[in-house]
Every structure is written in C-alpha cells, then in structure tokens.
C-alpha cells in the first residue's frame, strides 16, 4: 500500500491557468504579497500555469519559515520545495526585487530547474550590507508601521500608489521581514552571473531609486545572451505601476517569442509545404499579419492543452463551413487527417454542419473535402460518390 505524501506546508501560493500549461512562478518584492502581480498574472495565465508565492511572514505565508540570518538561498529552497509539491521539475520564473534575487540564485545554482528567467527591478547585489542590517534591527525594535508609511515613496513614482500593497507591507510579520532584510544584506551573486544559462530578461523601472537601471544593466552585461528592457514612468514595483508594459515584455519573453513556438505548431499541423509557401509569399505588407497568426493562433490557441489537436480540428472544420471559408477548409481537412481524424469522422462533422449551418454550406464543404481526401487516396482507388 502506497503511503499518502504529507500535505505541503510551506509558502502560501496561488495557482491559476491551464493545468497542463508550462509553469511560470512569480516572486514578490519585500513587503508585498501575491497582489503585486494582480494586474499581470491573469493575462499570463492564458498560456502558462501561473504560481504566485508569498515571502515568509507576508500575505498568507507562515513567518516561521525563516529566522534571523536567513539567506536568499533559504528562500530559493522554499521555492524549490513549492515547485516539487506542484510536480514542476522545470519551470520559468519571474521575480521583483528580492523575488528577482531568488530567481537569479535558482538559475545560477539549479540551472536544470529553470527554463526561462525574468528579473524585474532587482540586483545581483543590493548595496552596503549595513543598510539592510540597520533596517532589520529597526524593524525588530519598532515594527513596520513607520516603514510602511514611506513605502509609496520608495515603491512608486510621485502621485501613484496601490493601497492594497501598502497595507500588505503594514501587516507583514516584523521578524520575518527583518529576516528577509538579513537575506538581502548577505546577497551577492555577481561572481556567478556568467554561469546562468537560462534565457534571461532584465526589466528596469527607469524611475526606480532602489534598484536603478544600472543594477539591471550590470546583470544583463554578465549573463550570456541576456536582454534588458527599461520601462519609462516606472519605479520599483513596475508590475503594479506599469502592468501593460511589463506584460508585453514578459509575454514576449516567456512565449519564446510566441511566434517561434507557434511556427513549430503550425508546421506540425499544416505541414512544411504549406508553411513554406506562406513564408515565400510573405511581403513587408503581410509580415505583421503572419506574425500575428504565428504568435496568437498557433502560439497560444493551438498550444493550449485544454483541447486536443483532434478536438481543435473538429471545431475548426465546423467554423470554416459555417463561414463559407472553403479555401481554408481544404487546408484544414488535410490538417484534420494529420491530427488523426478519419475520413468517416470528417464526413460526420460535415453532415452535422448540414443541420446547424445549412445544406448549401455542407454541400460545398463535402465537395471540397471529397477532393482533398481523394488526393491522398492510394493510386487506383476511386473516390466515393
């Protein structure tokens, strides 16, 4: 008899997105919670299984998970434990500030776990250790009320704030917050940056006083192949202040350029010959549309694991008959065969369209499908009447 594993009792986390989609873990900044990603995570969950986590003593995570003298390695271990509990042997990761430092540590020390990495408003070294040890001591003495009052000035550009995040700061456990300060004081990954192999994106808030663009530039210069994006009008918590710009950067990075993965799927479904013809006919005028098709139709919709490719072919054939797109129908009859549909199943789909789309539409569709299926019939085989 197999023993039931004990329930996971580590970091509080929130999971959203299709169960079979690639996992993308989102890490928070010191003093915040999963709410930091509220304006970004729902959009990313269209293509990824999003896992947001809270630092110890923040949001819903127990303060007891870390203590005085904690390190970023300790936090990274908690994230690995979370990934293990979710069955994610490999995952992509994006983190802000301290959450970004956790991502850097994971990519440098556990490269086999990290598929792709994004580091936002963070650093490989957060300045003089005394700044953080002094803050830790003050928080242990006085609590977080006074520090929370200054949070908007440290986190956002003048005139902007997110009350929910400031409240999270105020409600954090002082001992756990101080332990996170200890981790920041001890963190210095500058000598390991060149060992990071995961495709890496650095995102800097151009108005960030805590980790100005120069900090992200230092990482970008050291990590092989890394890219850097600076966001105007953003301070330290860029996902909250400029979510649209952050979303655009992350979506492009974590979909592997979206278009690349989409082109792979497009070739698998439609065949190399068709895609090669489409590519050969591409012009400067049609290129944006081709990119759109590759990125969204093939890179997001056809890769969504909620429906199988067989099921997507059934839906696509019906939609094309309904709208009378017969040229596209011929292409997708071939694709349906490649996706495992039999001629009998294709015929059943078209017969059903006669009921719901109309007899003339189905009649035209049967003519197209019969021609396509006859093309693939063995020599000497007569097509059905």
């Amino acid at each position: 008899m197999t023993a039931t594993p004990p329930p996971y009792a580590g970091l509080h986390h929130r999971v959203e997105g299709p169960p079979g989609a690639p996992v993308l873990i989102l890490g928070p900044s010191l003093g915040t919670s999963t709410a930091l990603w509220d304006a970004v995570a729902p959009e990313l969950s269209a293509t990824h299984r999003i896992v947001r986590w809270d630092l110890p003593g923040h949001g819903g995570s127990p303060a007891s998970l870390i203590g005085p003298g904690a390190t970023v390695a300790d936090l990274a271990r908690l994230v690995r434990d979370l990934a293990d509990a979710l069955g994610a042997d490999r995952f992509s990761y994006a983190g802000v500030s301290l959450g970004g430092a956790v991502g850097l540590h994971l990519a440098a020390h556990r490269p086999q776990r990290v598929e792709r990495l994004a580091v936002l408003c963070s650093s490989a070294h957060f300045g003089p250790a005394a700044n953080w040890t002094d803050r830790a001591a003050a928080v242990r003495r006085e609590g977080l009320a006074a520090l929370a009052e200054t949070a908007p000035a440290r986190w956002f550009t003048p005139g902007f704030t997110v009350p929910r995040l400031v409240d999270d700061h105020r409600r954090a456990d002082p001992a756990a917050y101080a332990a996170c300060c200890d981790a920041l004081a001890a963190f210095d990954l500058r000598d390991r940056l060149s060992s990071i192999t995961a495709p890496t994106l650095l995102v800097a808030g151009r108005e960030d006083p805590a980790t100005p663009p120069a900090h992200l530039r230092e990482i970008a210069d050291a990590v092989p192949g890394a890219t850097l994006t600076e966001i105007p009008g953003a301070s330290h918590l860029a996902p909250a202040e400029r979510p649209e710009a952050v979303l655009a950067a992350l979506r492009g990075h974590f979909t592997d350029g979206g278009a690349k993965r989409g082109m792979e799927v497009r070739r698998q479904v439609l065949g190399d010959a068709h895609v090669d013809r489409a590519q050969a006919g591409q012009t400067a005028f049609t290129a944006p549309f081709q990119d759109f098709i590759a990125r969204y139709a093939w890179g997001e919709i056809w890769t969504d694991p909620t429906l199988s490719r067989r099921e997507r072919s059934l839906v696509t054939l019906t939609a094309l008959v309904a709208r009378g797109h017969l040229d596209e129908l011929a292409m997708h009859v071939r694709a349906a065969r490649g996706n495992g549909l039999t001629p009998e199943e294709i015929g059943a789909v078209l017969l059903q369209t006669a009921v719901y789309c109309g007899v003339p539409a189905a009649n035209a569709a049967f003519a197209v499908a019969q021609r396509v299926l006859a093309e693939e019939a063995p020599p000497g085989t007569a097509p059905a009447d």
Side-chain angles (χ1 to χ4, degrees):
M1 182 176 180
T2 304
T4 302
Y8 175 72
L11 296 170
H12 172 261
H13 58 282
R14 177 177 176 182
V15 181
E16 52 205 313
V23 172
L24 172 55
I25 299 177
L26 303 180
S29 175
L30 178 64
T32 70
S33 71
T34 59
L36 174 60
W37 294 98
D38 277 354
V40 175
E43 295 290 338
L44 292 175
S45 70
T47 54
H48 286 79
R49 185 70 162 165
I50 299 299
V51 180
R52 302 189 238 175
W53 59 277
D54 282 327
L55 288 161
H58 295 61
S61 286
S64 58
L65 292 173
I66 58 171
T71 65
V72 169
D74 295 330
L75 296 172
R77 175 182 52 78
L78 292 170
V79 172
R80 292 203 316 273
D81 291 345
L82 171 59
D84 291 343
L86 296 173
D89 293 332
R90 278 180 69 78
F91 51 84
S92 291
Y93 184 95
V96 180
S97 195
L98 177 53
V102 170
L104 286 170
H105 182 94
L106 287 168
H109 293 275
R110 293 290 187 276
Q112 73 279 11
R113 302 296 301 268
V114 181
E115 189 79 31
R116 302 182 76 83
L117 173 66
V119 178
L120 294 82
C121 305
S122 189
S123 184
H125 177 245
F126 289 85
N131 292 351
W132 296 103
T133 55
D134 289 349
R135 184 187 291 193
V139 169
R140 289 179 174 117
R141 258 190 340 264
E142 304 163 9
L144 283 164
L147 198 58
E149 290 301 317
T150 65
R154 289 182 283 111
W155 286 351
F156 305 116
T157 57
F160 185 90
T161 189
V162 180
R164 163 73 188 278
L165 293 176
V166 177
D167 289 343
D168 285 337
H169 191 328
R170 189 175 291 109
R171 290 194 297 264
D173 180 87
Y177 182 100
C180 288
C181 290
D182 292 339
L184 287 166
F187 183 68
D188 189 347
L189 202 73
R190 287 175 291 183
D191 63 343
R192 295 294 300 267
L193 292 175
S194 62
S195 70
I196 293 175
T197 56
T200 300
L201 170 69
L202 290 313
V203 178
R206 197 167 286 170
E207 313 302 323
D208 183 359
T211 53
H215 285 231
L216 285 301
R217 197 172 302 120
E218 179 181 41
I219 302 172
D221 288 343
V223 175
T227 58
L228 171 65
T229 295
E230 293 187 20
I231 300 181
S235 186
H236 193 54
L237 299 190
E241 187 165 14
R242 293 294 311 278
E244 298 87 357
V246 169
L247 178 62
L250 295 184
R251 184 181 273 157
H253 182 63
F254 286 117
T255 57
D256 196 14
K260 179 181 178 183
R261 172 60 180 153
M263 190 60 71
E264 293 172 355
V265 174
R266 189 181 184 190
R267 287 184 179 278
Q268 291 166 8
V269 173
L270 300 181
D272 287 335
H274 170 82
V275 176
D276 288 343
R277 283 195 301 272
Q279 292 292 96
Q282 179 174 293
T283 67
F285 180 68
T286 63
F289 179 71
Q290 290 294 323
D291 179 74
F292 170 82
I293 292 297
R295 187 180 302 278
Y296 294 105
W298 296 105
E300 292 193 12
I301 300 303
W302 276 86
T303 56
D304 179 354
T306 307
L307 297 178
S308 69
R309 289 187 184 175
R310 278 177 50 86
E311 292 167 329
R312 291 194 183 280
S313 280
L314 294 171
V315 173
T316 302
L317 291 175
T318 303
L320 292 173
V321 174
R323 300 297 296 175
H325 299 309
L326 298 183
D327 289 341
E328 291 277 320
L329 179 65
M331 176 176 68
H332 277 280
V333 168
R334 296 185 187 94
R337 293 290 288 129
N339 285 338
L341 291 180
T342 66
E344 292 75 19
E345 288 171 323
I346 292 171
V349 171
L350 300 184
L351 187 60
Q352 184 152 335
T353 67
V355 177
Y356 293 97
C357 302
V359 170
N363 184 50
F366 265 106
V368 170
Q370 181 171 254
R371 172 174 56 79
V372 171
L373 294 173
E375 291 172 358
E376 70 171 23
T381 303
D385 292 336

